[in-house]
Amino acid sequence: MMQRHYAAKTEDVPEGGKKLIRVHEMEIGLFRVKGQLYAWRNVCPHAAAPVCRGLVCGTKLPSLVYEYEYGMEGQILRCPWHGWEFDLQTGKHLVDPEVKLRGFELEIEGEDVYVLLPKR
């Protein structure tokens, strides 16, 4: 059974931006990518860093030798401790997709955003 917790107003999370919230002693980052809101727990799976405090940016895309193509602007979360990069739409680590951020489902009711967590 899931329980709704008020998180923010939709306008509090701009495109390419973030908002950190706290629910039951847990910090969660809200992010907006391509108009869609996502919620990720603020714990990096690598070394438990506060990953949601990292930079929202783009990354180097696969390309030929000596060619550096930058892309995915506003879609990548870079961990502030060791630079691990995660896709904000899937939570997957860019190098090892088996490593993933812990995500939470959101409900939007009017302008209010709620995060869904298991009942305690």
Side-chain angles (χ1 to χ4, degrees):
M1 190 75 179
M2 302 300 273
Q3 185 175 7
R4 285 186 353 160
H5 299 273
Y6 177 79
K9 295 283 188 192
T10 55
E11 65 192 29
D12 292 341
V13 187
E15 184 64 36
K18 63 183 167 185
K19 179 175 179 63
L20 296 177
I21 63 166
R22 186 168 290 280
V23 179
H24 296 304
E25 307 294 320
M26 178 173 39
E27 197 166 50
I28 297 171
L30 301 176
F31 299 86
R32 183 183 300 273
V33 179
K34 296 182 179 180
Q36 183 71 36
L37 288 171
Y38 298 90
W40 303 108
R41 185 166 183 198
N42 192 19
V43 176
C44 182
H46 169 235
V51 67
C52 295
R53 295 185 182 277
L55 184 66
V56 175
C57 57
T59 192
K60 288 185 223 163
L61 301 176
S63 56
L64 298 175
V65 176
Y66 303 117
E67 291 183 14
Y68 301 97
E69 185 179 344
Y70 185 80
M72 298 181 73
E73 181 62 42
Q75 299 175 48
I76 302 299
L77 177 61
R78 185 176 297 146
C79 181
W81 286 7
H82 301 108
W84 283 35
E85 293 181 328
F86 298 90
D87 183 326
L88 280 169
Q89 293 177 294
T90 65
K92 292 181 180 178
H93 183 258
L94 294 188
V95 175
D96 183 357
E98 296 297 316
V99 176
K100 189 175 178 185
L101 298 173
R102 180 173 176 205
F104 301 99
E105 189 176 340
L106 295 173
E107 280 186 2
I108 298 175
E109 190 174 286
E111 294 297 313
D112 295 329
V113 179
Y114 298 89
V115 64
L116 301 178
L117 299 175
K119 280 195 173 183
R120 296 178 117 199

